[in-house]
Amino acid sequence: MNSEMRPKVQSLDPDAALEEVQARAQALWPRAASAAGLVEEGAVFRRLGSNRLLEHRRCVLEVKTAAGQSFVLRADFDTANPRPLIRQLERQRKAAQSLKPVSGVSAPGLLWQDPQHPYALMDFVQGDTAYRTLALTDYGFGARDEVLRRIGKAVAELHRVSDTGLRQFWPKPFLKMVSDRALAVREGRLSLPKPNSFLGLCAHLHRAARLARGKEFRSALAHGDLHLRNIIMSDREVSFIDFLNHGAVFPQRDIADIWLANCPEHLASDGDSPGFGCVAQADWAAFEGGYGTKLTDDPVFRFVFAWRLFRFWVSLGRKLPELQRSSLTVVSVVRVLDALRAEEAG
């Protein structure tokens, strides 16, 4: 049976759903192998980690050929609108091509891509996630500041090859959403943890917008989902995977994602001196040293960082109420807000 003609997996039990999605992905291998000039026979498949909320329709496989080569086969099935996912793959393709001349920085090249569906075969990236690499420094495996410098330098290269020119920052579209969400909270149409603190963040964003309005910044196509699990590190290379938002031109967003996407995991720990946004001062110094820019002095970055906190806070509204009240995450977003307001006060 053709892989696109298989039944939709949502009707199956969870285990059967995973098996069905993997079978559909593996069924794409002969076509991908032929297009990429690889030998189909003897390949071994291993499922890789992916977003658990999407496991019923997404499969990411390591394919090891009989010759010992490794590749990644990724497929998203049963999507109502496949075009955004196809554009994400195109963003990855462009990034991979642009980074080829850059020593020590890469994105997986695409060896085959279905023209009408979000299916692709790509290079396999050797290494470990930046998340794990950074965590291991706590146990004496490498130096934290050096890891962060490498990440900062690699992100700078990604933004450099994705440059879209100098622009002026106009916050009006951001502030419209801020005002809409603030009104929804006041009227009881949007339930969020610590609503009064959230309204304080909305007010902070309006003040930060006044400082950033009209400021010139260097724009670049953003990665769109640049948390530390989407950065792979080896001794020789830093690689970016799982590009998300094609078309966004605020590189500051990528950097805010690194620190806030998994809040509170990358905030200053006990004993660390907190810096901007409750990130450790030493971590900022190392990252900014690699990136080559004093980000935390830039009003546009400061606004986008607070905007990322706003987006994260809004996402907490989807959590269960009992988790909202007790979650360490809720405590941490308020902590970040307090740090931003203290910095603003001077």
Side-chain angles (χ1 to χ4, degrees):
M1 181 183 293
N2 184 289
S3 62
E4 279 95 39
M5 299 297 292
R6 291 177 181 269
K8 292 184 182 294
V9 298
Q10 288 92 328
S11 62
L12 305 174
D13 67 73
D15 290 338
L18 293 179
E19 293 174 4
E20 176 69 10
V21 169
Q22 182 163 340
R24 295 176 73 181
Q26 288 182 200
L28 297 170
W29 167 242
R31 182 149 53 104
S34 176
L38 301 171
V39 176
E40 172 191 342
E41 291 77 14
V44 177
F45 302 91
R46 178 174 71 92
R47 188 157 190 152
L48 300 176
S50 185
N51 188 326
R52 291 183 180 179
L53 297 176
L54 302 177
E55 284 183 333
H56 65 282
R57 66 169 175 84
R58 173 179 296 170
C59 187
V60 184
L61 297 173
E62 179 187 359
V63 185
K64 184 166 285 189
T65 67
Q69 299 170 290
S70 286
F71 303 94
V72 171
L73 182 61
R74 172 175 166 162
D76 283 82
F77 301 103
D78 305 328
T79 56
N81 181 11
R83 294 308 305 170
L85 294 169
I86 293 173
R87 288 197 296 269
Q88 290 167 21
L89 291 171
E90 285 301 321
R91 171 72 183 107
Q92 179 178 321
R93 182 191 297 278
K94 290 178 181 177
Q97 292 172 343
S98 298
L99 287 169
K100 275 186 178 180
V102 181
S103 176
V105 186
S106 69
L110 269 63
L111 307 175
W112 165 79
Q113 183 179 352
D114 186 283
Q116 296 180 314
H117 302 92
Y119 313 151
L121 181 72
M122 61 192 75
D123 292 325
F124 183 86
V125 177
Q126 300 288 345
D128 211 340
T129 65
Y131 183 97
R132 179 170 166 79
T133 302
L134 199 61
L136 286 173
T137 64
D138 293 338
Y139 301 95
F141 296 96
R144 183 179 181 87
D145 60 345
E146 179 57 26
V147 172
L148 286 169
R149 267 194 293 271
R150 288 185 64 201
I151 294 171
K153 184 177 180 181
V155 174
E157 291 289 357
L158 175 64
H159 291 160
R160 182 183 63 79
V161 302
S162 306
D163 184 271
T164 55
L166 289 173
R167 304 190 185 205
Q168 286 182 300
F169 183 73
W170 302 111
K172 185 176 180 179
F174 298 93
L175 295 180
K176 184 181 186 309
M177 182 178 288
V178 171
S179 297
D180 289 347
R181 297 297 184 274
L183 181 61
V185 168
R186 290 191 187 98
E187 293 180 345
R189 293 182 287 109
L190 176 61
S191 177
L192 294 178
K194 303 290 184 182
N196 290 335
S197 293
F198 175 78
L199 293 175
L201 173 59
C202 294
H204 171 81
L205 276 161
H206 280 276
R207 294 190 298 271
R210 289 196 289 271
L211 298 175
R213 183 178 290 113
K215 296 292 185 184
E216 193 172 72
F217 72 100
R218 183 158 291 282
S219 64
L221 287 177
H223 176 286
D225 193 22
L226 200 59
H227 56 77
L228 293 183
R229 290 186 175 90
N230 280 344
I231 302 173
I232 306 298
M233 304 184 72
S234 67
D235 290 340
R236 295 181 296 177
E237 197 161 64
V238 178
S239 298
F240 300 103
I241 64 171
D242 288 351
F243 289 73
L244 183 58
N245 291 317
H246 179 72
V249 294
F250 298 101
Q252 301 90 345
R253 168 181 165 167
D254 282 342
I255 299 162
D257 277 344
I258 287 173
W259 303 109
L260 294 177
N262 292 301
C263 188
E265 293 177 338
H266 306 311
L267 302 182
S269 303
D270 291 343
D272 293 333
S273 296
F276 176 76
C278 250
V279 176
Q281 287 182 353
D283 286 355
W284 274 127
F287 183 89
E288 290 178 324
Y291 194 79
T293 302
K294 185 67 173 175
L295 296 156
T296 52
D297 287 346
D298 176 14
V300 176
F301 175 75
R302 294 163 77 95
F303 176 85
V304 173
F305 190 92
W307 165 257
R308 184 63 181 87
L309 182 67
F310 167 86
R311 293 284 301 268
F312 188 87
W313 206 319
V314 169
S315 76
L316 296 180
R318 296 191 292 270
K319 307 290 184 182
L320 294 175
E322 59 269 23
L323 292 178
Q324 290 180 4
R325 288 194 295 269
S326 62
S327 172
L328 176 61
T329 300
V330 175
V331 174
S332 298
V333 294
V334 175
R335 180 182 164 207
V336 175
L337 172 60
D338 289 344
L340 294 177
R341 293 164 110 180
E343 184 109 12
E344 179 187 22

